[in-house]
Amino acid sequence: MKHYTSINDIENINSWIDEAKEIKANPLANKELGKNKTLGLLFFNSSLRTRLSTQKAALNLGMDPIVMNVSGDAWGIEFGDGTIMNGNTAEHIKEAAAVVSQYCDIIAVRAFPSLTDKEKDESEQILNSFVKFASVPVVSMESATGHPLQGLTDAITIAENSTKKKPKVVLSWAPHVKALPHAVANSFTQAMQKMDVEFVIANPEGYNLNPEITKDTPIIHNQEEAFKDADFVYTKNWSSYENYGQNLEVDANWTITKDKIGDAKFMHCLPVRRNVVVEDAVLDSDSSLVIEQANNRTYAAQLVLKKILEDL
Amino acid sequence: MKHYTSINDIENINSWIDEAKEIKANPLANKELGKNKTLGLLFFNSSLRTRLSTQKAALNLGMDPIVMNVSGDAWGIEFGDGTIMNGNTAEHIKEAAAVVSQYCDIIAVRAFPSLTDKEKDESEQILNSFVKFASVPVVSMESATGHPLQGLTDAITIAENSTKKKPKVVLSWAPHVKALPHAVANSFTQAMQKMDVEFVIANPEGYNLNPEITKDTPIIHNQEEAFKDADFVYTKNWSSYENYGQNLEVDANWTITKDKIGDAKFMHCLPVRRNVVVEDAVLDSDSSLVIEQANNRTYAAQLVLKKILEDL
Amino acid sequence: MKHYTSINDIENINSWIDEAKEIKANPLANKELGKNKTLGLLFFNSSLRTRLSTQKAALNLGMDPIVMNVSGDAWGIEFGDGTIMNGNTAEHIKEAAAVVSQYCDIIAVRAFPSLTDKEKDESEQILNSFVKFASVPVVSMESATGHPLQGLTDAITIAENSTKKKPKVVLSWAPHVKALPHAVANSFTQAMQKMDVEFVIANPEGYNLNPEITKDTPIIHNQEEAFKDADFVYTKNWSSYENYGQNLEVDANWTITKDKIGDAKFMHCLPVRRNVVVEDAVLDSDSSLVIEQANNRTYAAQLVLKKILEDL
């Protein structure tokens, strides 16, 4: 594999899940593979799980991780083509990506969307510029429209916890005080579309995700109806896609409660706002898989890095 | 040992000091012990010595340190129980601590007090929440009420530099322009109470430390009287405990001078404000042990990590 | 070698270049040399190339790099002698440098000039204080008046790309929106003065560098004249030295264009403001050596660290 920037980079999700389970069972088996190789982790935004789990994955493979907070540690980066750089940006991505490629064998990038300019966000300017101008493989640690390490993690977690041949998985929108990106919901949707599950999305009117992502996945605006016989309820807030980046008024209470989900397993990518997105009773119950998901972040990242290292 | 959050976690200070000396004499002897183990260093506050010495200690044990400035790098963390998280905090400590435990074999935390709310500070909310919700051992890198790595360091340094069977050790308050925590003074007091030394505390009226910490240690409000025949003068500013977090007016000049301490060894945890806390002539003299103390921070941290690793 | 703080620390630039080429050909040959040794990288200012390449160099030598952003991570540092520290600085360099020396086998420091106080900048207070008060070797990662790792890099790059016995090298000033330091231009000048090249400097009136640096190097105020028969055009903006730190009005257009430099190789230390300092057509052409320069930063740093490690 060259780059990993989307769930679409996974050719066969079942074989990937099997390989991730092997890695999880024996995480140090490939400690020689990454020896004398560096992973550059470039953060344009905050990160806890991704920051730590991707470093841990690199260490398990014998790699040396080098972390940089681009905004605070380095220079304002220009992405425009042909720009006369007489403003606030001091370094062009053409140089930045090529330069980092001199020091890192793989570059991992996190860059959130603006949520104000749909077209710009969907162009994935930052991530795609790294792919274009870096001379080494690029891994998305969450970009404007996708979080493929999370989506892979979630697929692994569902496979591990499923007791049925074809479980029912619901992706449910939930309330939040801030306007949030669509990245996690998009990648989860794409991952579920590749798996042998019954997959539906529950969200209020006005909150349908990008139809190019959801494709023929059923979208249900009644949460109770969607949750019927669910085995997994994956919860996430996202801002409106149609009214791009807006937090619309929502009449119904979409907060996840124990009553609503019954025996279904609860999933969330974290961080999660307690008693806004989901009540304490769910998170503190045995139904919650959120910590197991966080654990699987390491093995998802390790699988991706392993596949890239094998093709270096 | 499971956690190290207080000087009270030291069962036998003399045997710990002996072991620390062995580590100092041969710091790489246990390089295999921490192999493939990660130490997560989480900073809610600034740090120089602790940041570097704890990483160095981890490296000496073969561990991989992963550093995170919680405030800048990650999300605002909520500590309240049952909180409806519709404010500025984005992640609850229940998740944060459990999640970090998935990636780190030991978690080290630095979290200073507010100095405005005594009850809250004494609850040690941040440190104790990590202890409660992490599934791995937790080490304090200074919390609201204690700095046990520093206290252990100071015990080692006094043991190394003592020429008497039972030296006289004075902990002296000194002036400062800012209101500072009690953590270092508390842990030093607790460490001295465990050692075979004559220990007294010198501070102005209104600056007595928490009596539950000082217990029956003599508190003397006359610095000159306290310094008589002293072998070690450990200096530190702290804000008032009674008038919690206040910097009171102090008539007498409590700045440490060469004249005042005579032949006694001078100690301070650093950073120190020159010519406010102590005059240059003391710091620049052979009587000063402050750099040796800083050096011993590595071995104190290494001893603590070694004991935890041995019991993992 | 003890410290590396200036191009003047290079005793024989040709033998250094040869050794750098050997390192580049076999970068892991000395992986045992730095084992169990730590490199502390202290940043008082932003950095991308230096931050990453110096870490990479340390890793290639088997060292453990420890990075600290002094401003954000630690305490305000005082440099004055005899200061009564009742202001904003919390730790004196005397302690800071001595303390970091307890944890790091080599200390690398980046500290930019004020550009407002020539005398203070030329005193190199921060760098020289580390040299004075640290007990371990100090490496400049760019100081007020020099960037010797960059100058060494540039010498290596010219040696690698030269097809003539004695190539003509021009250092040309170029426009910028901000007032920039003289460090890169100074160290490049000093490096060229040590090499067997025909070296001239082109800059507008009022922008002559410090005459103690330029010495008898010809300074030409006509860019076209200076570029005649040039083999290498090294471009860099700097603020006025005479009117210290000022950006003066400049009539002529000094932006580097393809037309101006013809077949000459283009060099720049990066970051570079496109279409202000140099037009896209130059940077995006085969004449540009900027990415190769960035690559050589690793080997320049590795050479310096190797020489220091060999003398530890």
Side-chain angles (χ1 to χ4, degrees):
Chain A
M1 188 166 55
K2 175 81 182 173
H3 306 293
Y4 184 71
T5 60
S6 159
I7 291 291
N8 293 329
D9 293 326
I10 304 173
E11 72 276 15
N12 182 330
I13 203 162
N14 292 321
S15 80
W16 280 48
I17 289 169
D18 288 344
E19 196 171 343
K21 287 179 184 173
E22 282 170 34
I23 289 170
K24 188 174 181 175
N26 197 356
L28 300 174
N30 296 286
K31 186 99 191 192
E32 287 299 306
L33 185 62
K35 210 176 161 184
N36 297 323
K37 300 261 185 295
T38 53
L39 171 69
L41 295 93
L42 308 189
F43 291 97
F44 287 83
N45 304 96
S46 295
S47 172
L48 186 151
R49 268 151 294 279
T50 300
R51 183 183 294 271
L52 299 182
S53 64
T54 312
Q55 284 186 73
K56 177 69 178 169
L59 292 168
N60 281 348
L61 289 162
M63 300 185 81
D64 295 305
I66 299 181
V67 178
M68 193 169 73
N69 293 327
V70 182
S71 322
D73 295 351
W75 313 99
I77 292 186
E78 175 62 42
F79 292 90
D81 208 26
T83 312
I84 297 169
M85 289 171 59
N86 55 5
N88 289 322
T89 54
E91 174 139 42
H92 199 281
I93 182 64
K94 286 190 187 181
E95 277 73 55
V99 163
V100 176
S101 304
Q102 308 302 309
Y103 315 129
C104 300
D105 297 282
I106 303 175
I107 300 174
V109 179
R110 162 163 287 198
F112 289 171
S114 65
L115 291 184
T116 54
D117 182 337
K118 185 194 278 194
E119 200 181 345
K120 194 183 163 195
D121 287 349
E122 298 199 331
S123 77
E124 290 284 12
Q125 194 178 39
I126 297 184
L127 181 66
N128 285 343
S129 295
F130 273 96
V131 169
K132 188 171 177 186
F133 299 117
S135 56
V136 299
V138 172
V139 172
S140 166
M141 297 194 295
E142 187 171 345
S143 69
T145 67
H147 194 351
L149 287 174
Q150 183 67 49
L152 174 56
T153 296
D154 298 331
I156 297 165
T157 309
I158 286 176
E160 285 184 323
N161 286 278
S162 184
T163 53
K164 289 186 187 165
K165 204 173 161 192
K166 189 182 172 104
K168 180 176 176 184
V169 178
V170 186
L171 167 62
S172 177
W173 183 93
H176 202 282
V177 290
K178 291 179 63 181
L180 293 191
H182 311 94
V184 169
N186 287 347
S187 289
F188 184 74
T189 297
Q190 291 175 312
M192 290 307 104
Q193 289 166 345
K194 285 175 173 280
M195 287 181 76
D196 191 22
V197 298
E198 181 193 342
F199 179 53
V200 301
I201 301 174
N203 60 249
E205 302 267 3
Y207 278 100
N208 284 10
L209 292 166
N210 181 353
E212 292 180 29
I213 300 279
T214 54
K215 290 179 178 152
D216 57 0
T217 295
I219 296 171
I220 302 170
H221 298 310
N222 179 320
Q223 204 182 31
E224 189 180 350
E225 181 193 330
F227 283 6
K228 212 181 156 203
D229 300 324
D231 296 295
F232 297 89
V233 172
Y234 193 102
T235 304
K236 182 77 186 75
N237 171 270
W238 57 86
S239 55
S240 177
Y241 179 76
E242 293 161 62
N243 293 286
Y244 190 69
Q246 299 300 303
N247 258 6
L248 313 175
E249 289 280 337
V250 176
D251 280 338
N253 180 356
W254 282 71
T255 299
I256 307 298
T257 64
K258 195 77 195 133
D259 274 358
K260 284 183 187 175
I261 67 164
D263 292 334
K265 294 290 186 188
F266 175 79
M267 298 179 72
H268 191 284
C269 63
L270 303 182
V272 65
R273 291 193 175 231
R274 284 176 168 254
N275 304 311
V276 175
V277 169
V278 54
E279 62 175 16
D280 284 342
V282 175
L283 278 168
D284 296 335
S285 76
D286 290 344
S287 303
S288 172
L289 300 178
V290 299
I291 303 305
E292 186 61 19
Q293 284 174 268
N295 186 30
N296 283 335
R297 289 293 309 274
T298 300
Y299 309 110
Q302 197 171 333
L303 172 61
V304 165
L305 293 174
K306 176 172 177 280
K307 284 181 174 289
I308 292 174
L309 285 169
E310 284 167 347
D311 286 356
L312 273 190
Chain B
M1 189 168 55
K2 174 81 181 174
H3 306 292
Y4 183 70
T5 60
S6 160
I7 291 291
N8 293 328
D9 293 327
I10 304 174
E11 73 275 17
N12 182 330
I13 204 162
N14 292 321
S15 81
W16 280 48
I17 290 170
D18 288 343
E19 196 170 344
K21 287 179 185 172
E22 282 170 34
I23 290 170
K24 189 174 181 176
N26 197 357
L28 301 174
N30 295 287
K31 187 98 191 192
E32 289 299 307
L33 184 63
K35 211 176 161 185
N36 297 322
K37 300 264 186 293
T38 53
L39 172 69
L41 296 93
L42 308 188
F43 291 97
F44 287 82
N45 304 95
S46 295
S47 172
L48 186 151
R49 269 151 293 279
T50 300
R51 184 182 294 269
L52 299 182
S53 64
T54 313
Q55 284 185 75
K56 178 68 178 171
L59 292 168
N60 281 348
L61 289 163
M63 299 185 82
D64 295 305
I66 298 180
V67 178
M68 193 169 74
N69 293 327
V70 181
S71 322
D73 295 352
W75 313 98
I77 293 186
E78 174 63 41
F79 293 90
D81 208 26
T83 311
I84 297 170
M85 288 172 59
N86 55 5
N88 289 321
T89 54
E91 174 139 42
H92 199 282
I93 183 64
K94 286 190 186 181
E95 277 73 55
V99 163
V100 175
S101 304
Q102 308 301 308
Y103 316 130
C104 299
D105 297 282
I106 303 174
I107 300 174
V109 179
R110 163 164 285 198
F112 289 171
S114 65
L115 291 184
T116 55
D117 182 337
K118 185 193 279 196
E119 200 181 346
K120 196 183 162 195
D121 288 349
E122 298 201 330
S123 77
E124 290 284 10
Q125 194 178 37
I126 297 184
L127 181 66
N128 285 343
S129 295
F130 274 97
V131 170
K132 186 170 177 186
F133 298 117
S135 56
V136 299
V138 172
V139 172
S140 166
M141 297 194 294
E142 186 171 344
S143 68
T145 66
H147 193 350
L149 287 174
Q150 183 67 50
L152 174 56
T153 296
D154 299 331
I156 297 165
T157 310
I158 285 176
E160 285 184 323
N161 285 279
S162 184
T163 53
K164 289 186 188 164
K165 204 172 164 195
K166 189 182 172 104
K168 179 175 176 185
V169 178
V170 186
L171 167 61
S172 175
W173 184 93
H176 202 282
V177 291
K178 290 178 64 181
L180 294 191
H182 311 93
V184 169
N186 286 347
S187 288
F188 184 74
T189 297
Q190 292 175 312
M192 289 308 104
Q193 288 167 345
K194 284 174 173 282
M195 288 181 75
D196 191 21
V197 296
E198 182 194 341
F199 180 52
V200 302
I201 301 174
N203 60 250
E205 302 266 2
Y207 279 100
N208 284 10
L209 293 165
N210 181 351
E212 292 181 27
I213 301 279
T214 53
K215 290 177 179 155
D216 57 0
T217 295
I219 297 172
I220 303 170
H221 298 310
N222 180 321
Q223 205 182 32
E224 190 181 347
E225 180 192 331
F227 284 6
K228 213 181 154 204
D229 299 325
D231 297 294
F232 296 90
V233 171
Y234 194 101
T235 304
K236 181 78 186 75
N237 170 269
W238 58 85
S239 55
S240 176
Y241 180 77
E242 293 161 62
N243 293 285
Y244 191 69
Q246 300 301 302
N247 259 6
L248 313 175
E249 289 281 338
V250 176
D251 281 338
N253 180 356
W254 282 71
T255 299
I256 306 297
T257 64
K258 196 76 193 132
D259 274 357
K260 283 185 187 174
I261 67 165
D263 292 334
K265 296 290 185 187
F266 175 79
M267 299 179 72
H268 190 284
C269 62
L270 304 180
V272 66
R273 293 194 174 230
R274 283 176 168 254
N275 304 310
V276 175
V277 169
V278 54
E279 65 175 14
D280 284 342
V282 175
L283 278 168
D284 297 334
S285 77
D286 291 342
S287 303
S288 172
L289 299 179
V290 298
I291 304 305
E292 186 63 18
Q293 282 174 270
N295 187 30
N296 284 335
R297 288 295 308 273
T298 301
Y299 310 110
Q302 196 170 333
L303 173 61
V304 165
L305 294 173
K306 176 172 177 279
K307 285 181 173 287
I308 292 174
L309 286 169
E310 285 168 345
D311 286 355
L312 273 189
Chain C
M1 190 167 54
K2 174 81 182 175
H3 306 293
Y4 183 70
T5 60
S6 160
I7 291 291
N8 293 328
D9 293 326
I10 304 174
E11 73 275 16
N12 182 331
I13 202 162
N14 292 322
S15 80
W16 279 48
I17 289 169
D18 289 343
E19 196 171 345
K21 287 179 183 171
E22 282 169 35
I23 289 170
K24 189 174 180 175
N26 197 356
L28 300 174
N30 296 287
K31 187 99 191 192
E32 288 299 308
L33 184 62
K35 210 176 162 185
N36 298 324
K37 300 262 186 293
T38 53
L39 172 68
L41 295 93
L42 308 189
F43 292 98
F44 287 83
N45 304 96
S46 296
S47 172
L48 187 151
R49 269 152 294 280
T50 301
R51 183 183 294 271
L52 299 181
S53 64
T54 312
Q55 285 186 74
K56 177 69 178 170
L59 292 168
N60 281 348
L61 289 163
M63 299 186 83
D64 295 304
I66 299 180
V67 179
M68 192 169 74
N69 293 327
V70 181
S71 322
D73 295 352
W75 312 99
I77 293 186
E78 174 64 41
F79 292 90
D81 208 26
T83 312
I84 297 170
M85 290 172 60
N86 55 6
N88 288 322
T89 53
E91 174 139 40
H92 199 281
I93 182 65
K94 286 189 186 181
E95 277 73 54
V99 163
V100 175
S101 304
Q102 308 301 309
Y103 315 130
C104 300
D105 297 282
I106 303 175
I107 300 174
V109 178
R110 163 163 285 197
F112 289 172
S114 65
L115 291 183
T116 55
D117 183 338
K118 186 193 278 195
E119 199 181 346
K120 194 182 164 195
D121 288 349
E122 298 199 332
S123 77
E124 291 284 12
Q125 193 178 38
I126 297 184
L127 181 66
N128 285 342
S129 295
F130 273 97
V131 170
K132 187 170 177 186
F133 298 116
S135 56
V136 300
V138 173
V139 173
S140 166
M141 297 194 295
E142 188 173 343
S143 69
T145 67
H147 193 350
L149 287 174
Q150 183 67 49
L152 174 57
T153 297
D154 299 331
I156 297 166
T157 309
I158 286 175
E160 285 183 324
N161 285 278
S162 184
T163 53
K164 289 185 186 164
K165 204 172 162 194
K166 189 182 172 102
K168 179 176 176 184
V169 178
V170 186
L171 167 63
S172 177
W173 184 93
H176 202 282
V177 292
K178 290 177 65 180
L180 294 191
H182 311 95
V184 169
N186 287 347
S187 288
F188 184 74
T189 297
Q190 292 174 311
M192 290 307 103
Q193 289 166 346
K194 284 175 173 282
M195 287 181 76
D196 191 19
V197 297
E198 182 193 341
F199 179 53
V200 302
I201 301 174
N203 61 249
E205 303 266 3
Y207 278 99
N208 285 10
L209 293 166
N210 182 353
E212 290 180 29
I213 301 279
T214 55
K215 290 177 178 155
D216 57 359
T217 296
I219 297 171
I220 302 170
H221 298 309
N222 180 321
Q223 204 181 31
E224 190 181 347
E225 182 193 329
F227 284 6
K228 211 178 156 206
D229 299 324
D231 296 294
F232 296 89
V233 172
Y234 194 103
T235 304
K236 183 75 188 74
N237 170 269
W238 58 86
S239 55
S240 177
Y241 180 76
E242 293 161 62
N243 293 284
Y244 191 70
Q246 299 300 302
N247 259 6
L248 312 175
E249 289 281 337
V250 175
D251 281 335
N253 180 356
W254 282 71
T255 299
I256 307 298
T257 65
K258 195 75 194 132
D259 274 357
K260 284 184 187 175
I261 66 163
D263 293 334
K265 295 290 185 187
F266 175 78
M267 298 179 73
H268 191 283
C269 62
L270 304 181
V272 65
R273 292 195 174 230
R274 284 177 167 253
N275 304 310
V276 175
V277 168
V278 54
E279 63 174 15
D280 284 343
V282 174
L283 278 169
D284 296 335
S285 77
D286 290 344
S287 303
S288 172
L289 300 178
V290 299
I291 304 305
E292 186 62 17
Q293 283 174 269
N295 187 30
N296 284 335
R297 289 294 308 272
T298 301
Y299 310 110
Q302 196 169 333
L303 173 60
V304 166
L305 294 174
K306 176 173 176 280
K307 284 181 175 287
I308 292 174
L309 285 169
E310 285 168 346
D311 286 354
L312 273 190

